[in-house]
Amino acid sequence: MAQQKSIYVCQSCGYRSPRWLGRCTDCGAWNTLVEERLAPARSRKGHHASPDGCTPVPLANVDVAATPRQRTAIAEFDRVLGGGLVPGSVVLIGGDPGIGKSTLVLQAVAALGNEERPALYVSGEESPEQIKMRAERLGLADKAVWLLAATEVETILERLRSIRPAVLAIDSIQTMWVGELESAPGNVSQVRECAARFVRWAKETYVPTLIVGHVTKEGAFAGPRVLEHMVDTVLYFEGDRSHAFRILRSVKNRFGSTNEIGVFEMTERGLEPVGNPSAHFLAERPRGAAGSVVAACIEGTRPVLIEVQALVSPSVLANPRRTSLGFDPNRTSMLIAVLEKKLGIQLFGQDVFLNAAGGMRISEPAADLAVAAALGSSFLERPLDPELVVFGEVGLAGEVRGIQHALLRVQEAARLGLRRCLMPQTNLRQIDGVPEIERVGVASLNEAWEVLFGR
Ligand code: TYD
Ligand code: MG
């Protein structure tokens, strides 16, 4: 008999060590190693079951047309997947608790089930009654969806043999467990082993499988990250819970491009795709208000116009406030410093608040120039042209640098009826055939100020 061995597993990154350590040598986290007993090694037979054993195939003979995609009920979801679900593919959907993962997955699988082969929704978190209530709210109560409230993986796989579902949803992987491992559900080893078994099952049966994983807060463990390498596609569902907008972002996709996004709105009746995000983000824009400017950003491969709002007002504090919602605070500090040093704008006695309207998060440096323009507009109490759109990166020397996809941004701005574009000089020659929008190229913040405020 093989002897039971112990191993210490970092709950944050999954690093395995034969002995206990106070600090993980891989990710540097403290007190994250947890002892786990290993079951005696099982036979690895059947791990990669290919129908005809193990025979190499000439590349030229591989038939790609044989993998059609199944479209779900949600166009934005299909778009992020690269055109629909591929048979046998495993999709991990990560996100904060309460963001709408269960809703998205239920809506997505509902269209794929039929009389013969239903969609199977396995929940370890909610009872069938709760799920039914959600389905009623979503108008999906009559769809061919079967529910299974279970958490033990072998039992679930056993049931799957008789049900033969058209699509499988596991909600969530942190509630699943296998008996051979002694650690508790939600532990890295459990999460990994459970996911591995579902992946193996999906590859053997060609049933597309959606796995929900909670992104755990700092200090908690075993988030979807430790599974990213095992699955075909990783999608993160993001958004600010106080806003209705949700962004589904693909960070890995073996069957499509990454960095694609889908935009949704959480409504009374579930998630509604937002086909025209720019129009939504600009819908409530105040016209002629100081501190507001439209930035042209790129999310994935898609241009999105977002309103940047700044409020600069005299501070009574010794350390004035610097608050950025939706922007990287470090980048904001840098821009403030450049404005002070290069343009002599004295912001040190001022509270500065910055906000990306609609709860969007902007990480692109291409939004720099828009942020600077919004700050200047609020500081000077000078409203900007409401038909203006701004993009460009700002460097430490106050230079305005070229950015990628300038044409896409200008086209999107023109499509939404904006008439003027302040942009990097170096990007000007890439713009071709958008006559309805006037382009003004600048090479420095100084030049930009001249255009914006006529200084
Ligand atoms: P849920 O899908 O349960 O989130 P997760 O699985 O990521 O934890 O949904 C979260 C929130 O969405 C919940 O607070 C209620 C809200 N919601 C709506 O606003 N409309 C709806 O139609 C549904 C089903 C949920
Ligand atoms: Mg849920």
Side-chain angles (χ1 to χ4, degrees):
M1 274 308 283
Q3 197 197 339
Q4 265 216 339
K5 277 201 298 188
S6 272
I7 191 143
Y8 296 84
V9 182
C10 171
Q11 299 297 301
S12 149
C13 70
Y15 175 75
R16 296 154 85 91
S17 159
R19 58 201 170 83
W20 189 82
L21 303 166
R23 184 171 189 227
C24 174
T25 50
D26 202 32
C27 71
W30 288 94
N31 290 325
T32 53
L33 269 73
V34 171
E35 179 178 9
E36 288 179 7
R37 297 259 170 79
L38 291 179
R42 279 170 294 111
S43 150
R44 290 309 236 180
K45 233 173 81 188
H47 184 74
H48 281 293
S50 61
D52 53 356
C54 186
T55 327
V57 199
L59 185 58
N61 294 6
V62 178
D63 190 3
V64 194
T67 55
R69 286 170 185 265
Q70 289 170 286
R71 296 199 168 267
T72 69
I74 315 174
E76 287 288 291
F77 186 59
D78 291 341
R79 165 199 181 97
V80 177
L81 289 172
L85 277 171
V86 174
S89 66
V90 180
V91 180
L92 176 67
I93 298 166
D96 290 333
I99 202 77
K101 300 180 295 301
S102 302
T103 309
L104 177 72
V105 168
L106 187 59
Q107 283 184 260
V109 300
L112 299 178
N114 53 44
E115 288 291 290
E116 217 173 303
R117 299 189 63 181
L120 183 66
Y121 186 102
V122 180
S123 179
E125 308 206 326
E126 291 161 306
S127 67
E129 292 77 20
Q130 282 172 299
I131 301 167
K132 173 73 187 276
M133 272 156 55
R134 177 183 289 128
E136 276 175 347
R137 192 165 160 184
L138 302 174
L140 301 172
D142 59 341
K143 296 285 183 204
V145 179
W146 287 31
L147 306 177
L148 176 62
T151 53
E152 207 276 310
V153 176
E154 286 308 317
T155 319
I156 296 169
L157 292 177
E158 190 55 46
R159 295 286 178 282
L160 287 173
R161 267 168 218 127
S162 53
I163 300 175
R164 292 186 62 246
V167 57
L168 172 69
I170 301 293
D171 188 3
S172 65
I173 195 67
Q174 276 101 347
T175 59
M176 301 290 146
W177 57 283
V178 293
E180 289 95 324
L181 297 178
E182 287 196 356
S183 50
N187 249 310
V188 168
S189 309
Q190 283 284 8
V191 164
R192 276 204 186 147
E193 182 60 29
C194 295
R197 292 193 192 188
F198 287 122
V199 169
R200 197 177 313 156
W201 176 83
K203 301 293 167 207
E204 282 166 15
T205 57
Y206 293 102
V207 174
T209 299
L210 308 178
I211 297 179
V212 170
H214 295 295
V215 170
T216 47
K217 291 270 167 288
E218 260 209 326
F221 306 125
R225 295 228 156 247
V226 297
L227 299 179
E228 282 182 354
H229 65 285
M230 299 168 64
V231 299
D232 299 305
T233 302
V234 180
L235 308 179
Y236 279 98
F237 207 29
E238 317 173 336
D240 184 9
R241 250 190 292 170
S242 50
H243 285 87
F245 287 107
R246 301 283 182 273
I247 307 251
L248 187 66
R249 200 181 289 277
S250 116
V251 297
K252 165 181 174 176
N253 195 350
R254 286 187 183 144
F255 303 109
S257 69
T258 48
N259 282 326
E260 197 55 78
I261 63 157
V263 184
F264 298 89
E265 191 177 356
M266 183 60 101
T267 69
E268 289 292 293
R269 303 194 62 248
L271 292 158
E272 304 270 359
V274 175
N276 189 353
S278 299
H280 265 257
F281 288 123
L282 298 186
E284 292 173 86
R285 183 164 61 106
R287 292 191 147 238
S292 160
V293 66
V294 176
C297 303
I298 298 283
E299 287 286 350
T301 56
R302 180 193 258 195
V304 183
L305 302 186
I306 297 167
E307 183 200 348
V308 178
Q309 297 187 322
L311 183 70
V312 178
S313 72
S315 180
V316 294
L317 302 171
N319 286 316
R321 301 188 59 158
R322 300 280 184 258
T323 306
S324 332
L325 293 172
F327 296 92
D328 174 14
N330 290 329
R331 224 168 158 92
T332 309
S333 301
M334 184 203 93
L335 282 170
I336 291 174
V338 174
L339 287 175
E340 290 187 330
K341 184 92 179 169
K342 299 294 166 188
L343 295 179
I345 293 182
Q346 307 198 331
L347 292 169
F348 48 77
Q350 310 274 339
D351 287 330
V352 175
F353 302 92
L354 202 60
N355 181 34
M360 277 292 288
R361 245 177 277 163
I362 306 175
S363 49
E364 273 196 297
D368 289 353
L369 191 56
V371 170
L375 289 171
S377 162
S378 179
F379 178 74
L380 300 168
E381 271 303 316
R382 298 269 303 274
L384 294 170
D385 178 359
E387 314 235 289
L388 176 76
V389 61
V390 179
F391 61 83
E393 179 178 346
V394 174
L396 285 179
E399 79 277 22
V400 172
R401 297 165 166 258
I403 45 90
Q404 287 193 311
H405 306 300
L407 181 59
L408 273 179
R409 297 175 206 255
V410 173
Q411 282 168 337
E412 178 75 354
R415 196 173 69 78
L416 277 124
L418 298 174
R419 289 288 163 264
R420 217 166 157 229
C421 176
L422 180 69
M423 57 183 285
Q425 178 91 53
T426 47
N427 286 127
L428 270 183
R429 59 189 162 76
Q430 297 159 359
I431 314 296
D432 193 23
V434 201
E436 57 276 42
I437 201 158
E438 178 202 347
R439 280 90 71 170
V440 185
V442 290
S444 70
L445 266 184
N446 256 313
E447 288 177 38
W449 240 239
E450 196 132 324
V451 175
L452 293 168
F453 308 110
R455 198 180 75 172

